[in-house]
Amino acid sequence: MIPQPIFAWPLVGAQVLIFGTTAFALFAAPRAVVTGDVSARSLVVLWRVLALIVLVMSPLRLWSIGAGMADSTFREVLPSIPQIMRETFAGRVWTWRLATALLLALVAWIPTPGRLATTLMFVISVALLALQSVTSHAVDKGAFAITIHFMHQAAAGMWIGALVSLLIGATYGHAGADWLRSATSRVSQIAGWSVAALLVTGVIRAWEVLGVQLDLLVNSIYGRTLLWKVGTAATVILIGGYNRYRLVGSVNESSARASLIRNVAVECVLLGAVLGWSAVLANTPPPH
Amino acid sequence: MTHRKIWLLAPALMAIAISYSIAAWAHSFPEQETPSAGQKVASPPSEVVIKFDAPIEKLFAKLEVTGADGANQAIGAPQVSDDGIRLSVKVPLLKPGDYQVKWAVVCIDTHHTQGSYTFTVANGGS
């Protein structure tokens, strides 16, 4: 049996990244990003690749979930997939997810993408995140928990999307110093708000918990995986804090600019790892 | 508090916030069993019922009631209520003795849980 996170990680990562980068392009990026410069074209390439990942990985993820639900092999469960899609809650939601993934790919591969296509991709990615939340652990706890899960994902998406957009603009996009100065300031603000939102949604989730045993953090696989995730995210926050208070102010200097871009690349990689830990957690039974 | 201190404090707060959510979103586990685990009932039950703390999928729900001979006493397939919370199976008039209830379900979040417990039908019950 192939471990479930192998299918979940690229799918969750691609969905979150499309949401975050389209949101950044539409609502936060310096104007040049959405008016057809090199940065915008770089983002379009990224979106097309991510949309393909979502399109390819979605049926594979459904297949792996079906095998997990039926407790059988991929080959054994294949004939039962239509029945699972008809008769289970997750299967019905996944029917919509597959259709949404197809729609995303169609929009992303429009020959002459513009602001409308970017807006459509943003809206579709919101739908994908919502459907993702509906098929998460949160579904056990009702609409409020699903909403909190969605906000948690959205905040993570805004964070990593802003960082990746900045990285692409500064590297592949060959954006100038003015763009970088303006974008860095906005990314820093978005990162701050995103971390705050992640904290708030985490605290709200905490209120839902009764009988929490902190010893489970070290005495269960789930807890230890969670510690790795939190530790990785905390490292990103510390790097972000260093960028904000040490480098952003001197972004006009080429050495500071180079350090900033390098640090942002490291943050992106680490946030990718955080999404990986999330994929593992989503497929690990919490302690009971 | 300065922005810089908030930034430094954020990782610690995040660790606490996420840590507290460790058991927030579990899978389906029994909340109530009838007869309950370890119970000695005077009269044999007509059905065995398990109420779960989160909805389960009917397609993958399993419930067996076995006696000392190891045979499954359940009549027909297990039933799941419309809200997905209640799993039940009819049983014939059970003779006095120990019975093991084995259950295996898939929560609507697609994850498996399973377990077992015993109950006893007292002498003179049937």
Side-chain angles (χ1 to χ4, degrees), chain A residues 39-70:
Chain A
S39 313
R41 285 199 294 278
S42 302
L43 280 175
V44 168
V45 172
L46 174 73
W47 291 333
R48 286 178 171 174
V49 171
L50 292 173
L52 273 183
I53 291 173
V54 172
L55 186 64
V56 171
M57 294 310 298
S58 290
L60 290 175
R61 176 75 177 127
L62 169 61
W63 194 3
S64 74
I65 286 172
M69 290 171 85

PDB file of all heavy atoms in Angstrom, chain A residues 39-70:
ATOM      1  N   SER A  39       7.147  38.986 -14.558  1.00  0.00           N
ATOM      2  CA  SER A  39       6.699  38.328 -13.329  1.00  0.00           C
ATOM      3  C   SER A  39       5.359  37.644 -13.541  1.00  0.00           C
ATOM      4  O   SER A  39       5.137  36.517 -13.124  1.00  0.00           O
ATOM      5  CB  SER A  39       6.555  39.337 -12.196  1.00  0.00           C
ATOM      6  OG  SER A  39       7.678  40.155 -12.146  1.00  0.00           O
ATOM      7  N   ALA A  40       4.465  38.379 -14.217  1.00  0.00           N
ATOM      8  CA  ALA A  40       3.119  37.837 -14.448  1.00  0.00           C
ATOM      9  C   ALA A  40       3.193  36.584 -15.308  1.00  0.00           C
ATOM     10  O   ALA A  40       2.515  35.599 -15.040  1.00  0.00           O
ATOM     11  CB  ALA A  40       2.252  38.898 -15.119  1.00  0.00           C
ATOM     12  N   ARG A  41       4.045  36.624 -16.332  1.00  0.00           N
ATOM     13  CA  ARG A  41       4.166  35.448 -17.204  1.00  0.00           C
ATOM     14  C   ARG A  41       4.742  34.261 -16.429  1.00  0.00           C
ATOM     15  O   ARG A  41       4.340  33.119 -16.643  1.00  0.00           O
ATOM     16  CB  ARG A  41       5.038  35.783 -18.424  1.00  0.00           C
ATOM     17  CG  ARG A  41       4.293  36.651 -19.440  1.00  0.00           C
ATOM     18  CD  ARG A  41       4.956  36.581 -20.811  1.00  0.00           C
ATOM     19  NE  ARG A  41       6.289  37.178 -20.809  1.00  0.00           N
ATOM     20  CZ  ARG A  41       6.525  38.496 -20.923  1.00  0.00           C
ATOM     21  NH1 ARG A  41       5.517  39.336 -21.040  1.00  0.00           N
ATOM     22  NH2 ARG A  41       7.751  38.964 -20.931  1.00  0.00           N
ATOM     23  N   SER A  42       5.674  34.543 -15.527  1.00  0.00           N
ATOM     24  CA  SER A  42       6.235  33.471 -14.694  1.00  0.00           C
ATOM     25  C   SER A  42       5.158  32.850 -13.826  1.00  0.00           C
ATOM     26  O   SER A  42       5.121  31.628 -13.642  1.00  0.00           O
ATOM     27  CB  SER A  42       7.356  34.013 -13.806  1.00  0.00           C
ATOM     28  OG  SER A  42       8.366  34.578 -14.578  1.00  0.00           O
ATOM     29  N   LEU A  43       4.288  33.691 -13.294  1.00  0.00           N
ATOM     30  CA  LEU A  43       3.213  33.170 -12.453  1.00  0.00           C
ATOM     31  C   LEU A  43       2.234  32.323 -13.259  1.00  0.00           C
ATOM     32  O   LEU A  43       1.738  31.307 -12.778  1.00  0.00           O
ATOM     33  CB  LEU A  43       2.460  34.319 -11.772  1.00  0.00           C
ATOM     34  CG  LEU A  43       3.129  34.912 -10.525  1.00  0.00           C
ATOM     35  CD1 LEU A  43       2.342  36.115 -10.016  1.00  0.00           C
ATOM     36  CD2 LEU A  43       3.253  33.879  -9.422  1.00  0.00           C
ATOM     37  N   VAL A  44       1.967  32.746 -14.498  1.00  0.00           N
ATOM     38  CA  VAL A  44       1.054  31.979 -15.351  1.00  0.00           C
ATOM     39  C   VAL A  44       1.607  30.573 -15.574  1.00  0.00           C
ATOM     40  O   VAL A  44       0.863  29.579 -15.516  1.00  0.00           O
ATOM     41  CB  VAL A  44       0.824  32.709 -16.697  1.00  0.00           C
ATOM     42  CG1 VAL A  44       0.122  31.780 -17.695  1.00  0.00           C
ATOM     43  CG2 VAL A  44       0.001  33.970 -16.485  1.00  0.00           C
ATOM     44  N   VAL A  45       2.908  30.478 -15.808  1.00  0.00           N
ATOM     45  CA  VAL A  45       3.536  29.155 -15.985  1.00  0.00           C
ATOM     46  C   VAL A  45       3.353  28.332 -14.718  1.00  0.00           C
ATOM     47  O   VAL A  45       2.996  27.145 -14.762  1.00  0.00           O
ATOM     48  CB  VAL A  45       5.030  29.305 -16.328  1.00  0.00           C
ATOM     49  CG1 VAL A  45       5.730  27.940 -16.308  1.00  0.00           C
ATOM     50  CG2 VAL A  45       5.205  29.968 -17.684  1.00  0.00           C
ATOM     51  N   LEU A  46       3.595  28.982 -13.573  1.00  0.00           N
ATOM     52  CA  LEU A  46       3.414  28.283 -12.286  1.00  0.00           C
ATOM     53  C   LEU A  46       1.987  27.776 -12.141  1.00  0.00           C
ATOM     54  O   LEU A  46       1.751  26.618 -11.762  1.00  0.00           O
ATOM     55  CB  LEU A  46       3.760  29.228 -11.131  1.00  0.00           C
ATOM     56  CG  LEU A  46       3.481  28.683  -9.728  1.00  0.00           C
ATOM     57  CD1 LEU A  46       4.506  27.610  -9.357  1.00  0.00           C
ATOM     58  CD2 LEU A  46       3.509  29.796  -8.676  1.00  0.00           C
ATOM     59  N   TRP A  47       1.013  28.630 -12.434  1.00  0.00           N
ATOM     60  CA  TRP A  47      -0.397  28.254 -12.266  1.00  0.00           C
ATOM     61  C   TRP A  47      -0.762  27.074 -13.164  1.00  0.00           C
ATOM     62  O   TRP A  47      -1.523  26.197 -12.779  1.00  0.00           O
ATOM     63  CB  TRP A  47      -1.305  29.450 -12.559  1.00  0.00           C
ATOM     64  CG  TRP A  47      -1.195  30.532 -11.526  1.00  0.00           C
ATOM     65  CD1 TRP A  47      -0.840  30.377 -10.216  1.00  0.00           C
ATOM     66  CD2 TRP A  47      -1.390  31.924 -11.737  1.00  0.00           C
ATOM     67  NE1 TRP A  47      -0.815  31.603  -9.590  1.00  0.00           N
ATOM     68  CE2 TRP A  47      -1.152  32.569 -10.493  1.00  0.00           C
ATOM     69  CE3 TRP A  47      -1.739  32.717 -12.819  1.00  0.00           C
ATOM     70  CZ2 TRP A  47      -1.256  33.949 -10.315  1.00  0.00           C
ATOM     71  CZ3 TRP A  47      -1.851  34.095 -12.653  1.00  0.00           C
ATOM     72  CH2 TRP A  47      -1.620  34.691 -11.412  1.00  0.00           C
ATOM     73  N   ARG A  48      -0.221  27.084 -14.396  1.00  0.00           N
ATOM     74  CA  ARG A  48      -0.531  25.983 -15.315  1.00  0.00           C
ATOM     75  C   ARG A  48       0.027  24.665 -14.788  1.00  0.00           C
ATOM     76  O   ARG A  48      -0.637  23.636 -14.852  1.00  0.00           O
ATOM     77  CB  ARG A  48       0.026  26.301 -16.701  1.00  0.00           C
ATOM     78  CG  ARG A  48      -0.806  27.358 -17.400  1.00  0.00           C
ATOM     79  CD  ARG A  48      -0.254  27.727 -18.749  1.00  0.00           C
ATOM     80  NE  ARG A  48      -1.202  28.586 -19.450  1.00  0.00           N
ATOM     81  CZ  ARG A  48      -0.957  29.176 -20.607  1.00  0.00           C
ATOM     82  NH1 ARG A  48       0.211  29.004 -21.201  1.00  0.00           N
ATOM     83  NH2 ARG A  48      -1.868  29.940 -21.171  1.00  0.00           N
ATOM     84  N   VAL A  49       1.238  24.721 -14.277  1.00  0.00           N
ATOM     85  CA  VAL A  49       1.852  23.506 -13.723  1.00  0.00           C
ATOM     86  C   VAL A  49       1.058  23.031 -12.503  1.00  0.00           C
ATOM     87  O   VAL A  49       0.740  21.833 -12.373  1.00  0.00           O
ATOM     88  CB  VAL A  49       3.329  23.766 -13.347  1.00  0.00           C
ATOM     89  CG1 VAL A  49       3.898  22.587 -12.565  1.00  0.00           C
ATOM     90  CG2 VAL A  49       4.154  24.033 -14.595  1.00  0.00           C
ATOM     91  N   LEU A  50       0.695  23.975 -11.625  1.00  0.00           N
ATOM     92  CA  LEU A  50      -0.045  23.608 -10.418  1.00  0.00           C
ATOM     93  C   LEU A  50      -1.428  23.039 -10.764  1.00  0.00           C
ATOM     94  O   LEU A  50      -1.883  22.069 -10.150  1.00  0.00           O
ATOM     95  CB  LEU A  50      -0.205  24.824  -9.498  1.00  0.00           C
ATOM     96  CG  LEU A  50       1.084  25.353  -8.855  1.00  0.00           C
ATOM     97  CD1 LEU A  50       0.811  26.650  -8.104  1.00  0.00           C
ATOM     98  CD2 LEU A  50       1.694  24.317  -7.924  1.00  0.00           C
ATOM     99  N   ALA A  51      -2.075  23.650 -11.767  1.00  0.00           N
ATOM    100  CA  ALA A  51      -3.401  23.160 -12.173  1.00  0.00           C
ATOM    101  C   ALA A  51      -3.301  21.736 -12.718  1.00  0.00           C
ATOM    102  O   ALA A  51      -4.191  20.910 -12.472  1.00  0.00           O
ATOM    103  CB  ALA A  51      -4.002  24.092 -13.227  1.00  0.00           C
ATOM    104  N   LEU A  52      -2.212  21.462 -13.443  1.00  0.00           N
ATOM    105  CA  LEU A  52      -2.018  20.095 -13.943  1.00  0.00           C
ATOM    106  C   LEU A  52      -1.795  19.118 -12.784  1.00  0.00           C
ATOM    107  O   LEU A  52      -2.300  17.989 -12.809  1.00  0.00           O
ATOM    108  CB  LEU A  52      -0.815  20.052 -14.888  1.00  0.00           C
ATOM    109  CG  LEU A  52      -1.086  20.381 -16.359  1.00  0.00           C
ATOM    110  CD1 LEU A  52       0.191  20.220 -17.178  1.00  0.00           C
ATOM    111  CD2 LEU A  52      -2.179  19.485 -16.926  1.00  0.00           C
ATOM    112  N   ILE A  53      -1.024  19.573 -11.797  1.00  0.00           N
ATOM    113  CA  ILE A  53      -0.792  18.715 -10.620  1.00  0.00           C
ATOM    114  C   ILE A  53      -2.132  18.387  -9.950  1.00  0.00           C
ATOM    115  O   ILE A  53      -2.408  17.234  -9.608  1.00  0.00           O
ATOM    116  CB  ILE A  53       0.172  19.402  -9.622  1.00  0.00           C
ATOM    117  CG1 ILE A  53       1.585  19.474 -10.222  1.00  0.00           C
ATOM    118  CG2 ILE A  53       0.202  18.655  -8.285  1.00  0.00           C
ATOM    119  CD1 ILE A  53       2.562  20.277  -9.399  1.00  0.00           C
ATOM    120  N   VAL A  54      -2.968  19.405  -9.796  1.00  0.00           N
ATOM    121  CA  VAL A  54      -4.279  19.187  -9.163  1.00  0.00           C
ATOM    122  C   VAL A  54      -5.114  18.222  -9.998  1.00  0.00           C
ATOM    123  O   VAL A  54      -5.748  17.297  -9.472  1.00  0.00           O
ATOM    124  CB  VAL A  54      -5.029  20.534  -8.972  1.00  0.00           C
ATOM    125  CG1 VAL A  54      -6.461  20.294  -8.491  1.00  0.00           C
ATOM    126  CG2 VAL A  54      -4.282  21.422  -7.980  1.00  0.00           C
ATOM    127  N   LEU A  55      -5.074  18.418 -11.324  1.00  0.00           N
ATOM    128  CA  LEU A  55      -5.882  17.573 -12.218  1.00  0.00           C
ATOM    129  C   LEU A  55      -5.421  16.117 -12.171  1.00  0.00           C
ATOM    130  O   LEU A  55      -6.243  15.200 -12.160  1.00  0.00           O
ATOM    131  CB  LEU A  55      -5.784  18.109 -13.653  1.00  0.00           C
ATOM    132  CG  LEU A  55      -6.683  17.423 -14.682  1.00  0.00           C
ATOM    133  CD1 LEU A  55      -8.154  17.637 -14.366  1.00  0.00           C
ATOM    134  CD2 LEU A  55      -6.380  17.920 -16.091  1.00  0.00           C
ATOM    135  N   VAL A  56      -4.125  15.902 -12.149  1.00  0.00           N
ATOM    136  CA  VAL A  56      -3.594  14.530 -12.167  1.00  0.00           C
ATOM    137  C   VAL A  56      -3.717  13.874 -10.793  1.00  0.00           C
ATOM    138  O   VAL A  56      -4.084  12.697 -10.671  1.00  0.00           O
ATOM    139  CB  VAL A  56      -2.113  14.544 -12.633  1.00  0.00           C
ATOM    140  CG1 VAL A  56      -1.473  13.168 -12.439  1.00  0.00           C
ATOM    141  CG2 VAL A  56      -2.023  14.969 -14.095  1.00  0.00           C
ATOM    142  N   MET A  57      -3.406  14.647  -9.750  1.00  0.00           N
ATOM    143  CA  MET A  57      -3.364  14.060  -8.409  1.00  0.00           C
ATOM    144  C   MET A  57      -4.752  13.830  -7.806  1.00  0.00           C
ATOM    145  O   MET A  57      -4.905  12.973  -6.939  1.00  0.00           O
ATOM    146  CB  MET A  57      -2.544  14.936  -7.459  1.00  0.00           C
ATOM    147  CG  MET A  57      -1.060  15.034  -7.798  1.00  0.00           C
ATOM    148  SD  MET A  57      -0.241  13.435  -8.064  1.00  0.00           S
ATOM    149  CE  MET A  57      -0.426  12.659  -6.460  1.00  0.00           C
ATOM    150  N   SER A  58      -5.755  14.605  -8.234  1.00  0.00           N
ATOM    151  CA  SER A  58      -7.086  14.466  -7.624  1.00  0.00           C
ATOM    152  C   SER A  58      -7.667  13.060  -7.775  1.00  0.00           C
ATOM    153  O   SER A  58      -8.067  12.446  -6.773  1.00  0.00           O
ATOM    154  CB  SER A  58      -8.046  15.517  -8.192  1.00  0.00           C
ATOM    155  OG  SER A  58      -7.676  16.800  -7.737  1.00  0.00           O
ATOM    156  N   PRO A  59      -7.716  12.507  -9.010  1.00  0.00           N
ATOM    157  CA  PRO A  59      -8.238  11.136  -9.101  1.00  0.00           C
ATOM    158  C   PRO A  59      -7.366  10.113  -8.387  1.00  0.00           C
ATOM    159  O   PRO A  59      -7.880   9.137  -7.830  1.00  0.00           O
ATOM    160  CB  PRO A  59      -8.279  10.867 -10.612  1.00  0.00           C
ATOM    161  CG  PRO A  59      -7.508  11.952 -11.256  1.00  0.00           C
ATOM    162  CD  PRO A  59      -7.460  13.102 -10.327  1.00  0.00           C
ATOM    163  N   LEU A  60      -6.041  10.343  -8.398  1.00  0.00           N
ATOM    164  CA  LEU A  60      -5.159   9.419  -7.687  1.00  0.00           C
ATOM    165  C   LEU A  60      -5.420   9.465  -6.184  1.00  0.00           C
ATOM    166  O   LEU A  60      -5.407   8.442  -5.495  1.00  0.00           O
ATOM    167  CB  LEU A  60      -3.684   9.762  -7.975  1.00  0.00           C
ATOM    168  CG  LEU A  60      -3.203   9.477  -9.404  1.00  0.00           C
ATOM    169  CD1 LEU A  60      -1.768   9.960  -9.592  1.00  0.00           C
ATOM    170  CD2 LEU A  60      -3.296   7.982  -9.702  1.00  0.00           C
ATOM    171  N   ARG A  61      -5.664  10.677  -5.689  1.00  0.00           N
ATOM    172  CA  ARG A  61      -5.955  10.847  -4.256  1.00  0.00           C
ATOM    173  C   ARG A  61      -7.280  10.159  -3.902  1.00  0.00           C
ATOM    174  O   ARG A  61      -7.378   9.487  -2.880  1.00  0.00           O
ATOM    175  CB  ARG A  61      -6.016  12.341  -3.926  1.00  0.00           C
ATOM    176  CG  ARG A  61      -6.391  12.669  -2.499  1.00  0.00           C
ATOM    177  CD  ARG A  61      -5.269  12.418  -1.534  1.00  0.00           C
ATOM    178  NE  ARG A  61      -5.634  12.801  -0.178  1.00  0.00           N
ATOM    179  CZ  ARG A  61      -5.524  11.991   0.874  1.00  0.00           C
ATOM    180  NH1 ARG A  61      -5.054  10.778   0.731  1.00  0.00           N
ATOM    181  NH2 ARG A  61      -5.867  12.400   2.071  1.00  0.00           N
ATOM    182  N   LEU A  62      -8.286  10.345  -4.775  1.00  0.00           N
ATOM    183  CA  LEU A  62      -9.568   9.672  -4.545  1.00  0.00           C
ATOM    184  C   LEU A  62      -9.376   8.154  -4.534  1.00  0.00           C
ATOM    185  O   LEU A  62      -9.926   7.454  -3.682  1.00  0.00           O
ATOM    186  CB  LEU A  62     -10.561  10.068  -5.643  1.00  0.00           C
ATOM    187  CG  LEU A  62     -11.859   9.247  -5.690  1.00  0.00           C
ATOM    188  CD1 LEU A  62     -12.647   9.400  -4.391  1.00  0.00           C
ATOM    189  CD2 LEU A  62     -12.713   9.660  -6.884  1.00  0.00           C
ATOM    190  N   TRP A  63      -8.575   7.682  -5.451  1.00  0.00           N
ATOM    191  CA  TRP A  63      -8.302   6.251  -5.544  1.00  0.00           C
ATOM    192  C   TRP A  63      -7.639   5.759  -4.248  1.00  0.00           C
ATOM    193  O   TRP A  63      -8.024   4.726  -3.690  1.00  0.00           O
ATOM    194  CB  TRP A  63      -7.389   6.005  -6.749  1.00  0.00           C
ATOM    195  CG  TRP A  63      -7.259   4.582  -7.200  1.00  0.00           C
ATOM    196  CD1 TRP A  63      -7.897   3.489  -6.694  1.00  0.00           C
ATOM    197  CD2 TRP A  63      -6.437   4.111  -8.262  1.00  0.00           C
ATOM    198  NE1 TRP A  63      -7.513   2.363  -7.365  1.00  0.00           N
ATOM    199  CE2 TRP A  63      -6.613   2.713  -8.349  1.00  0.00           C
ATOM    200  CE3 TRP A  63      -5.566   4.720  -9.165  1.00  0.00           C
ATOM    201  CZ2 TRP A  63      -5.941   1.927  -9.287  1.00  0.00           C
ATOM    202  CZ3 TRP A  63      -4.900   3.939 -10.097  1.00  0.00           C
ATOM    203  CH2 TRP A  63      -5.092   2.557 -10.156  1.00  0.00           C
ATOM    204  N   SER A  64      -6.655   6.501  -3.773  1.00  0.00           N
ATOM    205  CA  SER A  64      -5.958   6.087  -2.543  1.00  0.00           C
ATOM    206  C   SER A  64      -6.890   6.153  -1.335  1.00  0.00           C
ATOM    207  O   SER A  64      -6.847   5.287  -0.451  1.00  0.00           O
ATOM    208  CB  SER A  64      -4.716   6.953  -2.309  1.00  0.00           C
ATOM    209  OG  SER A  64      -5.059   8.234  -1.862  1.00  0.00           O
ATOM    210  N   ILE A  65      -7.769   7.164  -1.316  1.00  0.00           N
ATOM    211  CA  ILE A  65      -8.737   7.265  -0.212  1.00  0.00           C
ATOM    212  C   ILE A  65      -9.701   6.072  -0.254  1.00  0.00           C
ATOM    213  O   ILE A  65     -10.027   5.468   0.774  1.00  0.00           O
ATOM    214  CB  ILE A  65      -9.505   8.601  -0.282  1.00  0.00           C
ATOM    215  CG1 ILE A  65      -8.587   9.741   0.155  1.00  0.00           C
ATOM    216  CG2 ILE A  65     -10.760   8.576   0.583  1.00  0.00           C
ATOM    217  CD1 ILE A  65      -9.177  11.117  -0.047  1.00  0.00           C
ATOM    218  N   GLY A  66     -10.145   5.743  -1.481  1.00  0.00           N
ATOM    219  CA  GLY A  66     -11.036   4.586  -1.639  1.00  0.00           C
ATOM    220  C   GLY A  66     -10.388   3.307  -1.134  1.00  0.00           C
ATOM    221  O   GLY A  66     -11.021   2.507  -0.428  1.00  0.00           O
ATOM    222  N   ALA A  67      -9.108   3.124  -1.479  1.00  0.00           N
ATOM    223  CA  ALA A  67      -8.392   1.930  -1.012  1.00  0.00           C
ATOM    224  C   ALA A  67      -8.288   1.931   0.515  1.00  0.00           C
ATOM    225  O   ALA A  67      -8.435   0.887   1.156  1.00  0.00           O
ATOM    226  CB  ALA A  67      -7.003   1.892  -1.644  1.00  0.00           C
ATOM    227  N   GLY A  68      -8.061   3.119   1.063  1.00  0.00           N
ATOM    228  CA  GLY A  68      -7.971   3.236   2.521  1.00  0.00           C
ATOM    229  C   GLY A  68      -9.301   2.932   3.192  1.00  0.00           C
ATOM    230  O   GLY A  68      -9.362   2.208   4.191  1.00  0.00           O
ATOM    231  N   MET A  69     -10.390   3.467   2.625  1.00  0.00           N
ATOM    232  CA  MET A  69     -11.710   3.234   3.212  1.00  0.00           C
ATOM    233  C   MET A  69     -12.088   1.753   3.145  1.00  0.00           C
ATOM    234  O   MET A  69     -12.644   1.194   4.085  1.00  0.00           O
ATOM    235  CB  MET A  69     -12.772   4.068   2.482  1.00  0.00           C
ATOM    236  CG  MET A  69     -12.674   5.553   2.739  1.00  0.00           C
ATOM    237  SD  MET A  69     -13.787   6.493   1.665  1.00  0.00           S
ATOM    238  CE  MET A  69     -15.299   6.417   2.599  1.00  0.00           C
ATOM    239  N   ALA A  70     -11.800   1.142   2.004  1.00  0.00           N
ATOM    240  CA  ALA A  70     -12.167  -0.274   1.823  1.00  0.00           C
ATOM    241  C   ALA A  70     -11.138  -1.209   2.447  1.00  0.00           C
ATOM    242  O   ALA A  70     -11.348  -2.421   2.465  1.00  0.00           O
ATOM    243  CB  ALA A  70     -12.300  -0.575   0.329  1.00  0.00           C
TER     244      ALA A  70
END
